[in-house]
Amino acid sequence: MPPVPDLDKRDIPGRGRIPSHVGIIMDGNGRWARRQNLPRTQGHQEGLKTAKRIVKAASDMGISYLTLYVFSTENWKRAAEEVAFIMGLVKTYLRGELDFFRENRIRIRHAGDPEGLPPEIAREIREVSEDTRDFPGLSVILALNYGGRDEIVRAVRHLVREGGAITEEALGRCLDNPDVPDPDLIIRTAGEFRISNFLLWESAYTEYSISDKLWPDWTDGDLKKAIGDFQGRERKFGGIKA
Ligand code: FPP
């Protein structure tokens, strides 16, 4: 394995060029399971272990926001058994990690439509979000029953109800987490070059990183590599080089 580069953490407060907000499309759980002749659910089980490792690594690195794409508005098309299993993992995660969130001052937030979720999952996420809302460390945003198009449509409906001018700023204020900065970096695992309805509005100027590794095989070294690569990019946001 090539060495993992040291991260440039120099000009903190912003922790140098450590991205403030990282989004991850955690792909490849099913393929991981198939390769081991295991049921798909086992892939998600392993995927949860990786998510825990990566949350800890992101917290230790000083990332401020980590959005994990757990379940999309399109994932309801999957077999009922798989859907129920993933929802069960979310519950296990939120209940089982509460002490870890407290110890590490981690705040839990939700992106997506709570109304489409099983009521007990919506309740769980609401309660843990409430319990952790004052924690100043990493914010972990669980994208659950989340679709970028759905988020925009819900925001537009809100705006129309309110009346007033329709501007980028006004729409931005109606998104699920309006105070969270746009993602600096979106990572997708399992070698797919697709955005799959993730953070469509927020990712206008996001940098992308695609990893060939399947999500259950991902490590904090892979996160460091993706961030090291990000640190070498030049971001111009539509402008020109100074
Ligand atoms: C995509 O892989 C993965 C999902 C739709 C589920 C992601 C869920 C987890 C990682 C577990 C729960 C995590 C938390 C933080 C509660 P896929 O099934 O589409 O993989 P494939 O393309 O190889 O079939």
Side-chain angles (χ1 to χ4, degrees):
M1 274 228 306
V4 173
D6 277 342
L7 294 174
D8 182 358
K9 286 196 181 180
R10 279 165 304 183
D11 17 276
I12 312 188
R15 298 241 178 194
R17 301 196 58 232
I18 290 282
S20 163
H21 183 180
V22 175
I24 308 187
I25 303 176
M26 309 178 287
D27 197 10
N29 294 349
R31 274 164 280 179
W32 183 91
R34 197 168 58 235
R35 283 180 196 174
Q36 335 265 331
N37 271 324
L38 293 168
R40 290 180 59 79
T41 48
Q42 203 53 43
H44 297 312
Q45 186 82 57
E46 288 300 315
L48 177 59
K49 289 186 193 160
T50 304
K52 289 185 193 173
R53 283 200 297 274
I54 297 303
V55 165
K56 177 75 171 90
S59 166
D60 291 348
M61 266 177 220
I63 290 170
S64 300
Y65 303 92
L66 178 70
T67 301
L68 297 176
Y69 204 5
V70 178
F71 193 87
S72 75
T73 44
E74 288 70 40
N75 285 153
W76 297 105
K77 295 175 196 158
R78 296 184 179 211
E81 188 209 6
E82 184 174 342
V83 171
F85 191 86
I86 294 173
M87 293 298 158
L89 285 183
V90 172
K91 193 166 152 186
T92 306
Y93 178 61
L94 291 172
R95 290 222 168 146
E97 297 297 290
L98 209 47
D99 286 344
F100 167 80
F101 300 146
R102 288 193 183 116
E103 277 155 27
N104 291 275
R105 319 305 284 163
I106 288 174
R107 178 176 176 184
I108 295 294
R109 303 179 67 156
H110 177 225
D113 189 351
E115 297 210 347
L117 285 171
E120 55 163 340
I121 302 297
R123 191 176 57 244
E124 200 73 48
I125 217 168
R126 198 171 53 242
E127 287 175 3
V128 176
S129 300
E130 198 48 47
D131 278 0
T132 60
R133 62 171 299 142
D134 293 327
F135 289 159
L138 172 70
S139 282
V140 175
I141 302 160
L142 299 176
L144 192 60
N145 192 30
Y146 177 85
R149 288 182 173 182
D150 179 66
E151 183 186 26
I152 294 167
V153 168
R154 286 186 287 108
V156 170
R157 282 197 194 121
H158 189 129
L159 260 189
V160 169
R161 267 199 313 274
E162 270 183 354
I166 297 190
T167 62
E168 287 191 17
E169 289 69 30
L171 198 144
R173 282 197 298 273
C174 298
L175 295 173
D176 290 343
N177 291 289
D179 56 313
V180 172
D182 288 344
D184 301 292
L185 174 66
I186 287 182
I187 296 164
R188 183 167 187 146
T189 60
E192 305 288 349
F193 287 71
R194 272 195 301 280
I195 189 63
S196 299
N197 208 5
F198 186 50
L199 301 177
L200 295 184
W201 179 276
E202 298 87 339
S203 63
Y205 277 100
T206 297
E207 299 291 323
Y208 282 89
S209 172
I210 308 294
S211 162
D212 282 334
K213 273 193 176 176
L214 305 177
W215 178 248
D217 293 329
W218 238 59
T219 64
D220 50 352
D222 294 307
L223 179 63
K224 285 184 184 153
K225 261 198 298 211
I227 292 175
D229 174 46
F230 165 86
Q231 289 176 323
R233 308 230 188 134
E234 188 190 350
R235 302 183 76 193
K236 295 186 292 190
F237 298 93
I240 51 170
K241 196 175 169 193

